[in-house]
Amino acid sequence: MSEYSSPTSFIDLSAQQSLIRDELDIAIKKVLDHGQYIMGPEVTEFEKNLCEYTGSKHAITCANGTDALSIVLMAWNIGIGDAVFVPSFTYIATAEAPSQLGATPFFVDVKKDSFNIDPQSFKQAIVDCRKLGLRPAAVIPVDLFGLPADIDEITNIAHENEIKVLIDGAQSFGGKSNNRRVGSMGDATTTSFFPAKPLGCYGDGGAIFTQKDEDAELINSIRLHGKGSHKYENIRIGMNSRMDTMQAAILIEKLKIFPNELVARDEIANLYTASLDCVRKNK
């Protein structure tokens, strides 16, 4: 079995698909009929739906969640001599993205109860990185297991030190912090639509959220080979990181049932919690 087929053993994608198979077939047929397979109209529609769902001013799709991190760091001119603070408990992509740009991933301790970045450790890491001659440039709080990090405290510490906040919401998309939806916080937020993620497509996909017009313009350019006013005007170094139209069409349909899925996940989580509590009490 391929390592990439394993998520289906944890999340029953076939059961989910059966709920909306007719809608998916119609959506896919529509793409096949119009033939705009890259950056077609469904991509624009999905980005609009993401803005409405998250409350973010801008939602820019891309090829995957790792590219999403890299694109934002590129837009912020992160590079050699910069420290990017990342949690010590995370997936490789968090440290990989700054490393590929020549920046130094600077690991920060996590809290025992959430495995998310510990704000106090973040404070100390800023002091430590300066002693090493690095410029504290950005922090990537990773929301693990659906739980957003202590984003307000982390943001306050970061902005006091002129550090950008890039939230990795790949595992928390759909979650909330202080009644704000993931995607509407930080200087930017990224997510992944890998099939096993809260909102997953049937391939790879990602998105970037920001409230800032200037950042959105740069991000849009970088994901399209650094394009300017048109496709063949390239005004900066970028990458090829476009969401294909088929995945956008699938995600449009999956986003429609996503709120109900979150309710069902909460119910199942509560069932597990109650069952585990019973086991503890009976020991």
Side-chain angles (χ1 to χ4, degrees):
M1 179 183 290
S2 165
E3 63 178 302
Y4 293 110
S5 63
S6 59
T8 58
S9 64
F10 181 70
I11 298 175
D12 193 344
L13 296 176
S14 60
Q16 178 197 63
Q17 185 187 120
S18 67
L19 295 174
I20 54 171
R21 182 57 186 262
D22 290 344
E23 290 83 354
L24 290 171
D25 287 343
I26 292 169
I28 291 169
K29 182 180 183 301
K30 185 178 177 182
V31 176
L32 293 174
D33 288 344
H34 67 56
Q36 298 178 54
Y37 303 120
I38 301 293
M39 300 295 287
E42 284 81 1
V43 174
T44 302
E45 180 183 350
F46 180 55
E47 290 176 340
K48 178 177 177 290
N49 294 348
L50 287 174
C51 286
E52 292 174 354
Y53 180 77
T54 61
S56 180
K57 186 174 183 181
H58 301 282
I60 304 104
T61 55
C62 59
N64 55 70
T66 304
D67 278 4
L69 293 170
S70 297
I71 290 168
V72 176
L73 295 177
M74 290 172 71
W76 291 346
N77 291 314
I78 302 297
I80 296 171
D82 292 333
V84 177
F85 302 97
V86 301
S88 57
F89 185 76
T90 185
Y91 183 60
I92 182 62
T94 317
E96 185 179 39
S99 296
Q100 289 176 335
L101 299 176
T104 300
F106 208 95
F107 291 95
V108 178
D109 285 338
V110 297
K111 299 175 72 173
K112 292 181 179 180
D113 60 344
S114 68
F115 298 100
N116 290 334
I117 276 185
D118 184 335
Q120 297 309 308
S121 179
F122 175 37
K123 279 185 180 180
Q124 184 60 49
I126 296 170
V127 174
D128 294 342
C129 91
R130 284 177 172 149
K131 288 180 180 178
L132 294 173
L134 296 169
R135 182 182 78 93
V139 59
I140 306 179
V142 178
D143 301 337
L144 278 185
F145 311 124
L147 181 66
D150 296 331
I151 192 58
D152 289 333
E153 189 172 0
I154 290 169
T155 299
N156 288 337
I157 295 168
H159 287 176
E160 285 172 3
N161 291 274
E162 298 182 343
I163 295 170
K164 295 274 196 179
V165 180
L166 172 55
I167 300 169
D168 183 340
Q171 289 192 17
S172 65
F173 187 76
K176 288 183 178 181
S177 176
N178 293 329
N179 212 32
R180 297 162 301 177
R181 187 82 69 180
V182 168
S184 64
M185 297 170 278
D187 294 302
T189 298
T190 64
T191 196
S192 166
F193 299 121
F194 181 77
K197 293 297 189 284
L199 179 64
C201 56
Y202 296 151
D204 267 320
I208 300 161
F209 303 89
T210 181
Q211 308 288 4
K212 300 176 182 178
D213 296 343
E214 183 179 354
D215 281 359
E217 185 177 349
L218 283 170
I219 289 163
N220 182 52
S221 171
I222 291 168
R223 71 165 171 169
L224 300 169
H225 293 292
K227 85 173 193 69
S229 59
H230 58 81
K231 180 178 180 180
Y232 295 112
E233 180 191 29
N234 306 100
I235 59 176
R236 59 178 55 87
I237 297 298
M239 63 170 68
N240 178 17
S241 187
R242 303 166 296 197
M243 172 172 280
D244 74 71
T245 310
M246 201 75 76
Q247 299 304 335
I250 289 164
L251 285 164
I252 287 169
E253 298 306 320
K254 292 188 73 173
L255 185 58
K256 292 175 183 177
I257 64 169
F258 188 54
N260 291 335
E261 287 193 337
L262 292 177
V263 172
R265 286 185 184 220
D266 282 344
E267 290 174 350
I268 293 169
N270 291 334
L271 180 62
Y272 273 112
T273 300
S275 299
L276 289 170
D277 285 343
C278 287
V279 170
R280 293 191 194 99
K281 290 176 182 178
N282 292 328
K283 279 189 175 181

